[in-house]
Amino acid sequence: MSKLNITVCMGSSCFARGNAQNLEFIENYIKENGLEAEIELSGARCEGKCATGPNVIINGTEYNEVDEDKLKEILTSYK
């Protein structure tokens, strides 16, 4: 697995619509799989794409309407 850069939108709309739970899921996924060295996790301010949120960007690809199931599918595809 090459290094992943994950950016979670922390704007109030995305955060309230699920990114609070998504952030927790990603943090737990990283810990459970020992991926601390392979994944760089950061937050972003609102990108103005609230209608399609919650939004997460992984290695430059934007994912919209993200939930835990979608995140699990995306993260396992990078293994």
Side-chain angles (χ1 to χ4, degrees):
M1 172 193 262
S2 58
K3 186 155 185 148
L4 288 183
N5 291 300
I6 301 175
T7 305
V8 178
C9 181
M10 303 304 277
S12 57
S13 176
C14 281
F15 200 72
R17 291 171 69 185
N19 266 354
Q21 293 87 348
N22 289 338
L23 178 61
E24 190 175 322
F25 174 83
I26 294 168
E27 289 173 335
N28 288 334
Y29 183 89
I30 291 169
K31 277 184 211 158
E32 289 168 8
N33 292 283
L35 300 172
E36 290 84 349
E38 285 83 27
I39 296 179
E40 185 171 320
L41 180 60
S42 59
R45 293 178 182 224
C46 179
E47 299 286 324
K49 299 176 182 173
C50 308
T52 60
N55 302 304
V56 174
I57 300 170
I58 301 177
N59 283 359
T61 301
E62 183 177 300
Y63 295 93
N64 310 110
E65 298 177 1
V66 176
D67 59 18
E68 288 184 14
D69 290 335
K70 194 169 183 177
L71 269 175
K72 190 174 200 174
E73 184 181 311
I74 294 165
L75 291 171
T76 54
S77 76
Y78 279 98
K79 284 186 174 180

